[in-house]
Amino acid sequence: MMRTHYCGSLTESQIDQTVTLCGWVHRRRDHGGVIFLDMRDRDGLVQVVIDPDTPEAFALADKSRSEFVLKITGRVRRRYAGTENANMVSGQIEVLGKEIEILATSETPPFPLNDEFVNVGEEIRLKYRFLDMRRPEMLQRMRFRSQVTSKIRTYLDKHGFLDVETPVLTRATPEGARDYLVPSRTQPGSFFALPQSPQLFKQLLMVSGFDRYYQIAKCFRDEDLRADRQPEFTQIDIETSFMSDEDIMNVTEGMAVELFDELMGIKFGPFPRMTYAEAMRRYASDKPDLRIPLELVDVADLLKDVDFKVFAGPANDPKGRVAALRVPKGNELSRGKIDEYTKFVGIYGARGLAYIKVNDTSKINNGVDGKESGLQSPIIKNISDAALQEIITRTGAQNGDLIFFGADKAKVVNDALGALRVRLGHDLNLLTCEWAPLWVVDFPMFEETDDGKWTSVHHPFTMPHGSVEDLKANPGSATSVAYDMVLNGTEIGGGSLRIYNLDMQKAVFEALGIGEEEAQEKFSFLLDALKYGAPPHGGLAFGLDRLVMLMTGATSIRDVIAFPKTKSAECLMTQAPAPVEQKQLRELGIRLREKAAEQPQQS
């Protein structure tokens, strides 16, 4: 062994011991002829002092610069009074260096890796990711991620789950996003797909009798990216047999509770349950952030007959929604801020943002008859006094509050007001607690596409509530035995009971417009398995990257993944994806088509 201890592990218990350290020079300081080196490794930092009375070591320390790799042997001693550093594990001690060996030199890094690291663009960080991950912040995040996966494995092993690997080369399946395709050299013209999830394989493991399975699995989706999305991501995949949805939620909730308790000292009580319908009605989101107390109130029934088409149209449209959002003390918002929020909801398709300022609830009238109104807004003249009074009553508005309105197709209103609710919660410091977990249950089985067809909300193997006949009679109102774990407005895990009855699976395929021939072509192996004694089963998958992002307080999952891709699915460090040689393409029977040059626009 080249070293006896890690830098960050040294404490007062090693005082007077001779130790050998290996690591990087984090910072070098020359004070009055004495050289101080802050040495860094994956465990943290320790201060090393080199005196001139060890001339050979002193000369090497004098040559050393930031990011040089050194091997140092010395004696641990207590720091002088007043020089301790309470922010470091090793802050009470230092190492008096006696022998130094320079293992590797370093050029000046493209950005500082110590406390001077500020405002370094993500692009440069990703290009030099091997340097970026030397920073203590990144080292700590990756270390924490390892602790999370270790705790998860221990918990699931303890509860009788078996770790089983499933294939990475499989076939394309309709799971909502585009597949990454891999051409087959031995089967020209055919392609493998990288898995969006191990869904079908884990169901087949249940049919095989494995009973309880888990896997920390790499998954792939070729989709547009955001801060919480990557083309390749890691999933904590779980499947069980002979357990109800309540059983599965209890086991996985227990895992989350234990994880936060042991790694962060945060103790959760039982997670509240909320139906999808209630979440959308109250919070306009299927992953509501319950730290924010703001809630939506439906007011369409009060506005069906108003002489104001912006409200009356959606109020009379079965697919429309008119909702109100009360903002406590919102009268303090400036006109400029309201305009800013109006622009913000426009991102989500809203054509405007109507509002009412509540000045005096004892004067609820529209001011049309000449009376002074306690409400201030261009829209109140279009609304009856009775409707205004009921809006105030339903929202619970008080003097000094402001009420925002959304009126449009239900999806537009939900997207716009749901996002506005979260924005207001953070802008106005309305969060009532640090952590707010919950389960959202009973999702719709299907949602309607623009061309009037049905598509699965989760995936086509999700068990619906009710019978086959119920599903066939009214697929639009069918709900699924599905459940999502939500934390602070982020979905960190989702799952469902699976279909294990062949007739029900065929009925779901039929509702989705998947004919018998197509079903056999794509899912024959699953349909065959359902003929041979498939047990009742279900499961859940956690997004490991999102979970660690939340637990570490990172703002992007790219900050908790060792080598992530950019928003355009590129690896700046390795320059992937990249062209390949024509010889490789010929072996695969692939010919690239040249992209047509863009035609100049006619003036």
Side-chain angles (χ1 to χ4, degrees):
M1 298 269 303
M2 292 184 70
R3 62 181 163 200
T4 61
H5 295 77
Y6 281 93
C7 298
S9 67
L10 292 177
T11 64
E12 294 167 278
S13 62
Q14 278 87 36
I15 286 177
D16 290 331
Q17 291 184 21
T18 296
V19 299
T20 299
L21 309 173
C22 292
W24 288 261
V25 177
H26 189 66
R27 186 185 293 104
R28 178 188 177 280
R29 307 184 304 282
D30 193 337
H31 288 177
V34 178
I35 295 175
F36 292 84
L37 300 177
D38 287 343
M39 292 297 295
R40 183 192 72 240
D41 59 24
R42 72 173 203 185
D43 271 14
L45 300 168
V46 69
Q47 177 172 284
V48 178
V49 182
I50 302 94
D51 290 332
D53 59 359
T54 53
E56 187 175 343
F58 189 84
L60 290 172
D62 190 46
K63 291 180 181 178
S64 298
R65 295 293 182 268
S66 292
E67 301 312 308
F68 275 34
V69 183
L70 306 183
K71 176 183 177 182
I72 298 178
T73 299
R75 180 174 59 83
V76 180
R77 69 183 186 186
R78 188 179 300 279
R79 290 198 189 192
Y80 293 113
T83 66
E84 302 93 340
N85 187 341
N87 297 321
M88 294 168 57
V89 173
S90 62
Q92 301 300 312
I93 58 93
E94 62 188 13
V95 176
L96 180 62
K98 296 296 184 181
E99 299 177 16
I100 294 181
E101 180 182 351
I102 297 178
L103 300 176
T105 61
S106 173
E107 296 181 5
T108 302
F111 49 84
L113 307 182
N114 52 32
D115 297 338
E116 298 173 11
F117 177 88
V118 289
N119 299 325
V120 176
E122 187 180 55
E123 186 170 317
I124 194 76
R125 288 177 55 206
L126 293 181
K127 182 176 180 180
Y128 295 95
R129 188 61 161 186
F130 51 88
L131 293 177
D132 186 45
M133 285 201 295
R134 290 184 189 176
R135 294 190 299 113
E137 181 183 41
M138 289 300 298
L139 280 165
Q140 179 56 32
R141 285 173 180 166
M142 300 313 298
R143 189 181 185 88
F144 186 85
R145 182 183 175 116
S146 178
Q147 292 172 334
V148 169
T149 56
S150 177
K151 293 288 184 186
I152 287 169
R153 290 185 188 279
T154 299
Y155 180 90
L156 293 173
D157 288 344
K158 181 174 65 178
H159 283 78
F161 288 82
L162 302 177
D163 184 359
V164 183
E165 294 178 346
T166 55
V168 172
L169 292 177
T170 180
R171 67 170 296 145
T173 57
E175 290 199 44
R178 288 182 294 270
D179 290 305
Y180 276 102
L181 300 178
V182 180
S184 169
R185 181 183 59 81
T186 56
Q187 303 289 329
S190 294
F191 294 81
F192 294 105
L194 302 181
Q196 295 184 35
S197 81
Q199 182 61 47
L200 295 178
F201 288 104
K202 66 181 180 178
Q203 288 191 243
L204 292 173
L205 284 171
M206 297 303 103
V207 178
S208 302
F210 278 72
D211 194 74
R212 294 189 181 193
Y213 139 96
Y214 81 92
Q215 180 183 189
I216 297 180
K218 274 285 190 180
C219 302
F220 307 85
R221 292 179 185 172
D222 185 7
E223 60 184 350
D224 297 330
L225 305 179
R226 301 192 297 272
D228 60 346
R229 295 284 175 91
Q230 280 280 289
E232 55 178 314
F233 56 96
T234 306
Q235 199 162 279
I236 305 158
D237 209 51
I238 298 169
E239 197 79 4
T240 71
S241 297
F242 308 113
M243 292 179 72
S244 68
D245 51 332
E246 286 291 327
D247 294 332
I248 296 170
M249 285 191 281
N250 287 336
V251 168
T252 51
E253 179 179 317
M255 184 177 79
V257 168
E258 192 170 298
L259 205 58
F260 274 80
D261 184 16
E262 294 186 4
L263 292 181
M264 301 180 70
I266 295 168
K267 298 188 182 298
F268 288 137
F271 292 7
R273 310 286 172 90
M274 184 180 298
T275 65
Y276 169 90
E278 181 183 356
M280 296 304 294
R281 176 174 56 82
R282 294 172 61 188
Y283 305 107
S285 172
D286 59 0
K287 45 183 181 295
D289 189 341
L290 296 189
R291 299 174 300 169
I292 299 169
L294 306 180
E295 293 192 24
L296 276 69
V297 175
D298 284 311
V299 293
D301 59 309
L302 305 175
L303 302 170
K304 287 184 175 182
D305 301 321
V306 299
D307 188 21
F308 188 44
K309 291 183 179 179
V310 172
F311 280 175
N316 288 283
D317 183 351
K319 295 183 179 180
R321 185 178 189 187
V322 185
L325 178 66
R326 169 191 166 234
V327 184
K329 300 181 180 179
N331 270 6
E332 298 173 5
L333 293 174
S334 67
R335 177 68 209 203
K337 197 66 178 177
I338 293 174
D339 289 343
E340 183 181 322
Y341 290 137
T342 302
K343 185 176 180 180
F344 173 73
V345 297
I347 298 171
Y348 300 90
R351 289 170 287 186
L353 185 61
Y355 66 91
I356 292 176
K357 288 188 173 184
V358 182
N359 297 321
D360 187 349
T361 57
S362 67
K363 298 178 181 179
I364 304 299
N365 60 74
N366 57 22
V368 172
D369 58 1
K371 294 180 181 178
E372 182 182 352
S373 177
L375 306 178
Q376 182 182 345
S377 171
I379 68 171
I380 61 170
K381 63 181 181 292
N382 301 298
I383 305 173
S384 70
D385 291 355
L388 289 171
Q389 180 63 64
E390 183 60 22
I391 288 170
I392 297 300
T393 300
R394 287 188 191 180
T395 59
Q398 305 293 319
N399 293 347
D401 291 350
L402 180 142
I403 303 171
F404 282 122
F405 293 87
D408 210 308
K409 295 293 185 183
K411 184 179 188 311
V412 173
V413 172
N414 290 336
D415 290 349
L417 287 192
L420 179 62
R421 172 184 171 272
V422 174
R423 171 83 180 267
L424 288 165
H426 288 281
D427 285 358
L428 303 180
N429 298 314
L430 299 177
L431 275 64
T432 58
C433 56
E434 187 176 3
W435 300 97
L438 81 153
W439 287 104
V440 177
V441 300
D442 297 344
F443 284 78
M445 188 70 184
F446 308 110
E447 58 186 359
E448 195 172 0
T449 61
D450 292 337
D451 56 2
K453 296 180 180 180
W454 296 115
T455 185
S456 296
V457 169
H458 280 81
H459 54 67
F461 318 109
T462 302
M463 175 72 79
H465 288 288
S467 65
V468 171
E469 291 72 24
D470 294 335
L471 183 75
K472 288 183 175 181
N474 197 349
S477 63
T479 58
S480 60
V481 190
Y483 34 83
D484 281 3
M485 185 186 290
V486 176
L487 181 63
N488 292 1
T490 298
E491 177 208 331
I492 59 172
S496 68
L497 294 188
R498 321 302 188 191
I499 297 168
Y500 66 97
N501 175 280
L502 191 58
D503 290 338
M504 180 62 83
Q505 187 64 75
K506 288 181 177 179
V508 170
F509 283 159
E510 183 180 324
L512 292 171
I514 299 175
E516 191 169 335
E517 185 176 334
E518 182 183 358
Q520 280 296 325
E521 179 189 350
K522 293 182 176 178
F523 309 111
S524 58
F525 55 96
L526 176 65
L527 298 177
D528 286 344
L530 296 181
K531 299 175 184 176
Y532 293 95
H537 60 283
L540 182 144
F542 287 96
L544 176 63
D545 310 307
R546 287 190 196 177
L547 180 61
V548 177
M549 178 184 75
L550 283 175
M551 296 178 80
T552 59
T555 57
S556 165
I557 61 172
R558 290 188 292 278
D559 282 337
V560 296
I561 297 172
F563 300 104
K565 305 292 189 292
T566 66
K567 290 182 180 180
S568 55
E570 295 176 279
C571 176
L572 298 180
M573 186 180 67
T574 64
Q575 301 294 300
V580 298
E581 294 180 359
Q582 286 296 321
K583 179 183 176 183
Q584 289 178 276
L585 294 177
R586 283 195 299 270
E587 287 177 344
L588 295 168
I590 293 176
R591 178 182 296 169
L592 298 180
R593 298 175 60 182
E594 290 187 15
K595 186 177 180 181
E598 292 186 9
Q599 296 298 318
Q601 292 184 351
Q602 299 295 320
S603 58

